[in-house]
Amino acid sequence: MQTGATMGDCGMELFFPASRQAIRQVTSLFEFVWPTAAALWNLRWQVQGFIAEVPHASVDQLKQRFLFGSKIDNVDLRRTVTDYTWDDQTAIFGSFVLTNAFAIYEQWADDILHSLGERAGSGKKLQFPDRVVTTMAGLLASESSTLKSAYYPIYSTDRKYSLPHLQNFMLCYRYFKELRNAQVHAGGVADQKAVDAYTAFQPVSGKAQLGRKGDLAFDPVTLGQKVSLNLRGVVGFTDVLIKIIATIDAELCHAEKAEAVFEKALRAPVAGRCSPQIRGSAMHRFRRGVRLPGSHLRRTPERCMTSCSPTA
């Protein structure tokens, strides 16, 4: 199966712990989904082949043949491979991925804003195109000149960073979010919000507008009709989601309030011991642990290194 995207941190440079956690969770999601999808693909042709040779095989005989030892019991393998096509089942995988991807993103949005002093549960500010712009502008009204000069050039050149496409990414986000909402809350039937999200996204959905090498797979939405999902399109959207995270992470890394995030990470490995030797060793461990660019560490605020109590 063509995945359409490679998931994982892929050497990404990310400033906020919430961002690194979100990418790890996306990686874990796909490390489960792809082997599971591959296993189902193989199970389908094995069961189909067995039924072709033994047409009257019972449900129990199929379970004995293919599920013995698995402790999986309540399943009709004949229905699995005859009543559902491979496209049907990959659509189910797509729905599973989409629901989990949004859960990861929404938790990330809450966490990154909370780390910058916003009240808990403020993540909706990063779920709508207009609110993303105003939220970022508000947080960047006061900047950290040190973090901006030392770190912003690093994070803003990551291959997943794409500020020029952020608004289009957010329109893509709203389209897929409304598909998810239709499936979870409306039996898969599109409402007006889903139609409006499609109408807004469709004009900017081309590969150039999304900064992609290939087109993103998605389907039109019709009011009162079932929405459709395919795994390829959902995977492509998940890559867009990663780009949103990387872009917002880079932009917010030089907010003045991001200094508190940086200081917290910087102090953690030092544990209150500030002799030059201990500090040097701790900084090396810190750089490896949180993946901040080592070449710029000397340019960080001195107060980050010296404000804790000296050793006796």
Side-chain angles (χ1 to χ4, degrees):
M1 179 191 299
Q2 178 63 39
T3 64
T6 301
M7 297 301 154
D9 64 11
C10 303
M12 293 172 63
E13 296 288 358
L14 296 163
F15 180 86
F16 291 91
S19 302
R20 296 191 293 274
Q21 173 66 10
I23 299 306
R24 285 194 294 268
Q25 290 176 319
V26 172
T27 301
S28 295
L29 175 61
F30 278 92
E31 285 176 346
F32 170 78
V33 167
W34 290 133
T36 305
L40 180 58
W41 169 259
N42 281 285
L43 179 65
R44 285 183 60 86
W45 68 259
Q46 290 177 22
V47 174
Q48 288 169 341
F50 186 83
I51 292 174
E53 294 298 323
V54 189
H56 302 295
S58 68
V59 170
D60 287 339
Q61 287 172 329
L62 290 172
K63 287 193 293 187
Q64 181 70 19
R65 175 67 178 81
F66 295 102
L67 299 178
F68 179 77
S70 69
K71 299 182 180 179
I72 297 172
D73 184 64
N74 190 23
V75 60
D76 184 337
L77 289 177
R78 183 184 291 273
R79 287 193 60 212
T80 297
V81 303
T82 58
D83 291 9
Y84 297 93
T85 67
W86 177 239
D87 286 343
D88 292 335
Q89 290 170 334
T90 55
I92 294 170
F93 275 117
S95 180
F96 173 81
V97 171
L98 198 63
T99 298
N100 281 273
F102 278 120
I104 292 168
Y105 181 88
E106 290 168 10
Q107 185 63 56
W108 166 82
D110 284 344
D111 290 346
I112 193 172
L113 291 182
H114 190 54
S115 73
L116 291 169
E118 299 290 297
R119 65 177 179 82
S122 297
K124 283 191 178 295
K125 295 179 180 180
L126 299 181
Q127 295 186 45
F128 295 87
D130 55 342
R131 298 186 72 181
V132 166
V133 173
T134 56
T135 299
M136 291 172 59
L139 289 168
L140 292 172
S142 297
E143 293 184 318
S144 167
S145 58
T146 302
L147 291 179
K148 187 172 185 178
S149 63
Y151 291 98
Y152 183 62
I154 302 297
Y155 300 117
S156 62
T157 55
D158 186 271
R159 67 188 183 85
K160 293 293 185 181
Y161 172 90
S162 189
L163 184 61
H165 300 108
L166 182 59
Q167 283 299 289
N168 294 345
F169 290 163
M170 296 310 300
L171 291 172
C172 179
Y173 177 97
R174 291 312 315 169
Y175 166 78
F176 279 94
K177 181 63 182 288
E178 294 303 336
L179 294 189
R180 176 264 180 193
N181 288 346
Q183 291 198 323
V184 173
H185 302 300
V189 176
D191 61 8
Q192 190 60 51
K193 287 184 178 180
V195 174
D196 293 344
Y198 167 75
T199 301
F201 172 53
Q202 197 277 331
V204 299
S205 61
K207 59 184 178 183
Q209 292 98 326
L210 295 176
R212 293 173 51 85
K213 293 181 179 179
D215 290 323
L216 180 66
F218 70 101
D219 294 315
V221 174
T222 303
L223 183 65
Q225 300 297 313
K226 287 271 190 177
V227 299
S228 62
L229 279 177
N230 67 74
L231 185 56
R232 178 171 169 262
V234 171
V235 171
F237 165 69
T238 309
D239 188 55
V240 169
L241 208 62
I242 289 173
K243 290 178 179 179
I244 294 172
I245 291 172
T247 301
I248 295 176
D249 180 278
E251 289 300 305
L252 295 182
C253 84
H254 59 90
E256 184 177 57
K257 292 181 178 180
E259 288 187 357
V261 178
F262 182 67
E263 289 183 37
K264 182 178 180 181
L266 196 62
R267 283 198 184 102
V270 177
R273 300 169 298 172
C274 291
S275 70
Q277 296 83 1
I278 292 174
R279 186 187 309 140
S281 176
M283 290 299 293
H284 178 67
R285 293 196 303 274
F286 166 75
R287 186 178 71 249
R288 288 188 306 170
V290 302
R291 302 187 65 177
L292 289 177
S295 60
H296 294 278
L297 284 171
R298 293 183 181 179
R299 298 162 59 185
T300 57
E302 274 295 308
R303 60 190 172 86
C304 291
M305 298 186 180
T306 61
S307 58
C308 55
S309 302
T311 55

